[in-house]
Amino acid sequence: MFLEMAKNDCAQFSVPNLTGEQTAEFLRKMLLIRVTELKIEELYHLDEMKTPVHLSLGEEAVSAGVCMHLRTEDAVFSNHRSHAHYLAKGGNLGAMIAELYCRETGCSSGRGGSMHLVAKEVGHWGSSAIVAGATPHAVGAALAFQMQKKDSIAVVFLGDGACQQGVFYESMGWAALKKVPVVFVIENNFYSVNSHLSVREANEYLYKRARAFDIPSCRVDGMNPLDVYASAAQAVSHARSGKGPFVLEYVVQRWRMHVGPGDASAQLYRMPEEFTKGYRRDPIEEFIAHVLKEGLLDSSRVQEIRTRVDRDVGEAFVFAQNSPLPDARDLTKYLFVE
Amino acid sequence: MFLEMAKNDCAQFSVPNLTGEQTAEFLRKMLLIRVTELKIEELYHLDEMKTPVHLSLGEEAVSAGVCMHLRTEDAVFSNHRSHAHYLAKGGNLGAMIAELYCRETGCSSGRGGSMHLVAKEVGHWGSSAIVAGATPHAVGAALAFQMQKKDSIAVVFLGDGACQQGVFYESMGWAALKKVPVVFVIENNFYSVNSHLSVREANEYLYKRARAFDIPSCRVDGMNPLDVYASAAQAVSHARSGKGPFVLEYVVQRWRMHVGPGDASAQLYRMPEEFTKGYRRDPIEEFIAHVLKEGLLDSSRVQEIRTRVDRDVGEAFVFAQNSPLPDARDLTKYLFVE
Amino acid sequence: MPWTKLQVESEEPEFDENAGDNARKLDFEKALFEALDQSLEYDPRVFAMGQGINDPQGMFGTTTGLFKKYGLERVFDTPLNEEAAIGIALGAAMAGMRPIVIHNRPDFLLMAMDQIVNHAAKWSYMFAGQVPLPVMIRACVCRGWGSAAQHSQALHGLFHHVPGLKIALPATAYDAKGLFISGVADNNPVLFFEHRWLYKHQSCVPEHMYAIPFGEAAVKREGSDVTIVAVSHMVIESLRAADELAADGIEVEVIDPRTIRPLDIETILASVKKTGRLIVADLAWTTGGFAAEVIAQVTERAFHDLTCAPKRVALPDLPTPAGYTLEQAFYLGAKDIKEAVLEVIRTKKVS
Amino acid sequence: MPWTKLQVESEEPEFDENAGDNARKLDFEKALFEALDQSLEYDPRVFAMGQGINDPQGMFGTTTGLFKKYGLERVFDTPLNEEAAIGIALGAAMAGMRPIVIHNRPDFLLMAMDQIVNHAAKWSYMFAGQVPLPVMIRACVCRGWGSAAQHSQALHGLFHHVPGLKIALPATAYDAKGLFISGVADNNPVLFFEHRWLYKHQSCVPEHMYAIPFGEAAVKREGSDVTIVAVSHMVIESLRAADELAADGIEVEVIDPRTIRPLDIETILASVKKTGRLIVADLAWTTGGFAAEVIAQVTERAFHDLTCAPKRVALPDLPTPAGYTLEQAFYLGAKDIKEAVLEVIRTKKVS
Ligand SMILES: Cc1ncc(C[n+]2csc(CCOP(=O)(O)OP(=O)(O)O)c2C)c(N)n1
Ligand SMILES: Cc1ncc(C[n+]2csc(CCOP(=O)(O)OP(=O)(O)O)c2C)c(N)n1
Ligand SMILES: [Mg+2]
Ligand SMILES: [Mg+2]
């Protein structure tokens, strides 16, 4: 079912020309997300990460592929399923894990938890757990960039559920009017919690929403890292060159439950066949197969990246677990900034 | 400018087959709105109608033409510019004028004022002065009709400004999903207060908004009563026959200021040329010319209708002016219904 | 349906395993399930909708499987939006239905604030009572486990400022069922706030459909020394504190208004007349919340019955922190209520 | 720009036509215009947007023509929506700008409640102060002329419950300018509520840019018999009542907190210590509003300074009626304040 959907109406792209370094970085980003999420899942039952986690396993290609085209000065806006966006944009791994452990060394000093990550130094100004809540922020940041005559762009990640919030349409209207450099990235995993898109929308082709405002848009197979890379290149350069907003819909598979660990196929009460064998795709394995076949990387380089990521993730957890907890006496700190 | 706009992208309709009675009723509805509004305007400076009035002068064809196709059991949902919708749907004229005079005999017993009219007996359950606020109500009523297995439909009137509110998109999404019998009628007069659509939207073709949800839609010359009649017939029968929602965009001219009496051309600070001579069209005069030419009515019948409307309006004002004011001791009445 | 004919009750029966109707204890969540089930059964105009309502988990077990019994036309999942959802409920109510709209968290009601405050709350008044809006909106207050600032708010204090809304916050399974049924029976918009920590609480719940009238407080425990007015989960915490204080010979009276709009101020005033001391224990932020209102009404109307300063036990004026070390300091409970009682007891009477 | 270097003032100068800076009286609306103009001039990061901001009428004259001076990039009209508009302001603030968002009426802020309450108010706390949101949101409270229930609400009482927002309600032209500039200078979200009936009020307004610190009440009139805490237009009404009462030998102290969050409770407590009597006059609904909070704080902290029951002069808990005969009964003013004062004066001291 998903495979068919992914083909359905998906735009075709020619294979992008990736250098070896780009390939390695793209792979590293995806693996970093994958390995981090698996580790979170592995340790979650220990009850030490006392914050709800929304895993992006299966959806790694989108965050990584889009952020491959972003500069540090570009801004990303994220949601409850925030880990992948944060990591792909280059947020500090240790600070993220420490945030999941609710430590003072967490990126939000333990005040935000998993759904409220921040990495100011890399253009991540905080994620919102209100579905679609950050969408206008992206347009506002893009407007600021325009006023400041910068060539930075803003990118916001939205779920298929978020596309049902009115503020998404208001935001597209503003973006089109002001012609600001913003890319709306829809991660269409067909679910809002356990509710399938078909019980929420008459028309599941979310990229068409952009047509209301004449914003260019397309649907892309989000399980295919090469297509993600190629489509994002196009959208980002469109926005950066002053042509205004772009909407990308990526069709993806959410492997896990809406929140917390656990195989989604056990719980999704509609269309479980989506998750039965044959349908599940792994973007990272597909990518590795491709790069090995094309000789973009050799297998020892791939192994090297895996090893580095494993080490980084391991270290981040150790850092987090050994970090101090926030002091209750600091409870009232941060209500306001100075 | 407006004339060109009206042609621009407007759907073409063949001249509808109106019976003499239908013609008379259509004309009566338009004249009723016209004469009532002119009378309000004439007397407004006396400071006896102490409530802001938003006049529909120039836009009469839309309310009248759409409501020609509605039954008493159908529901209309209205906004701040509410008089025309109320009258076209058959709301009691005296009760409306009494409401403007803030009388106890007003349709809302003097609690609502001009922006909050109600005529339950003819399927008008109260209008909202929050722009787009009533839009989901129409979808809800249509959903109820569907549940109740009635063949009634719901119609909501929205301005071009209202199309910028997120809830309009949410409402369209619901309507498409549930396939409920609702018609969204956009009265595009190109202004929100004094702000022209071009400073608010990149794309002024509002009927295209419906494409996001695959809802059929079209743009119609709203200054042409025959086109209004023909297009509304189509939309209403679409909805009534269970085919789901329809979006109609009518291009119209708002002759007056946003609120209160006064020629709009004096104040609209952008594109005042729209209102200079040659561009202003009068839907009622166009209609009368047509019906006389086609022999649908003769001039004595037209005169008869005019006389009747004049008399009705005159009586309504006398009724209102002689009605009692709400008693301050009843202030707390109606906070809740029983 | 003759909703007005329903049996009206107000005092929670004592559990008695030999006493027919009183022989059954039920979870709070099961009581809500039963109330919804019976309401759907009783009146075909009632329908229920909400994000994830037909999930296996079914809104904490309060809706599980009902769509199978009543069909997807009457119990249905919705698009992910709140403003339209509530506006649609209002429109359906205008057309004669009695919708129940379910939200996971009050935080999300902020998306629909315009429909609730500008529309639902004003429709009766603006149209002189001609267009009733029998809509009930449920939301569940979340607490703990790093839910953080956007997923944990108790927002009854916001809505409570707005005339035209009725607001219920049940604390027991018995009250939950009776208030729920009253809410569905009401011809006005009702907000119904549940606290997540209450779902497993049990009390004696009759099987028949009964309605607990809005605006009738329940004296959950009698006492002569201090009056505690508490809502929702703070009732449980107050009763816990009261038990401990009783061991020290301090008799606390715990009053649960059950609905904060309308508010049964008379029962509170009568209690303060007796005790001379007032503590208000609320789930929400201190400033501008329900606790402030109770203090204002009592001091305005019964200043001389008070023998010492009233006191609020309510949340610090902060967004909810995610981290558990901070959460522990942020949330209040029996311990804080006990301390507050001891403090006002220490204040000597000066009347 | 060094907003912290701005001259800080707090006491309204006496008008003196020979005294340089103090020789100028200005309308409230002109004072706001000047504050906006100077803010735009002072800091290129400031921009202002709002529906109809560039109308000839220019938001009651407070923005007229400014787009000609600063360009349509910095003073611009917006699409007709509120939620995105405020969200966009927040995003621009994240990216280093200092937006001012103008709304005609607080009623419309309800569309943007999620952005204000779930986002603006929480951003500092959730991200440990790393991402400042220097956004100012203005709205003008309307009154009278059949504006009815959806176009007349004074909603500061709603926002006032929410931690993380600062709220200013100026009553004089002098305060309006100084608080406006403080609001723009603040690195946190600020709500700025103007009352339509104040626009033509005049006071002495220095030409230079000055800031009135948030959280500093102004004693608008000294007196020893009764303390009146009043905000916005109710300050004017209270001063009128005070004048009339002075003729009867009753000396009223009128305190204007100017900002209700933060609230200068110390000045209020000091006054109550002196007078023993407290009245709170608010523009908004009685239940759960700012007036309740002041009473709660004073009775909690200074119960024994009060010699009689405190009193609220605040709106009845009703949607605003359209009709003028009802409006007259609905709105409160000097007469009601005077009556309240006479009533508390009549209560004999029992301390
Ligand atoms: C306004 C709002 N309504 C409801 C929720 C509860 N909620 C959290 S995540 C979620 C599902 C979001 O689905 P989608 O946007 O598709 O993102 P995904 O989880 O699939 O990544 C819901 C309903 C919320 N956080 N905010
Ligand atoms: C949510 C909201 N925002 C702003 C306003 C103020 N307002 C009242 S009418 C109006 C213009 C509406 O324009 P449009 O929808 O095109 O209707 P028209 O007046 O042209 O008929 C505005 C901005 C409002 N009533 N509600
Ligand atoms: Mg999804
Ligand atoms: Mg318009």
Side-chain angles (χ1 to χ4, degrees), chain D residues 196-234:
Chain D
R196 198 160 169 171
W197 285 23
L198 289 170
Y199 285 127
K200 295 294 168 204
H201 273 270
Q202 293 206 329
S203 62
C204 193
V205 178
E207 272 175 51
H208 66 275
M209 247 176 127
Y210 60 90
I212 296 178
F214 281 16
E216 275 192 24
V219 180
K220 294 286 181 190
R221 179 189 180 113
E222 293 194 15
S224 51
D225 295 325
V226 178
T227 299
I228 300 180
V229 176
V231 291
S232 188
H233 189 254
M234 290 309 264

Side-chain angles (χ1 to χ4, degrees), chain B residues 44 47 49-52 102 110-113 116 128-131 161 164-165 192 194-195 200 269 325-328 331 335, chain D residues 52 54-57 77-82 108 111 145-148 150-151 317-319 321-326 329-330:
Chain B
Y44 201 67
D47 270 7
M49 288 172 266
K50 292 183 198 296
T51 176
C102 299
R111 270 68 178 173
H116 303 296
S128 171
I130 296 296
V131 169
Q164 308 196 284
Q165 288 284 354
S192 162
N194 294 340
S195 302
R200 294 180 286 115
Y269 64 107
L325 288 159
D327 188 329
L331 179 65
L335 174 59
Chain D
N54 294 337
D55 257 27
Q57 296 94 329
D77 207 337
T78 72
L80 205 178
N81 49 53
E82 289 77 14
F108 310 151
M111 320 292 292
W145 201 255
S147 305
Q150 294 177 334
H151 277 66
D317 291 310
L318 296 170
Y324 49 97
T325 48
L326 298 167
F330 178 74

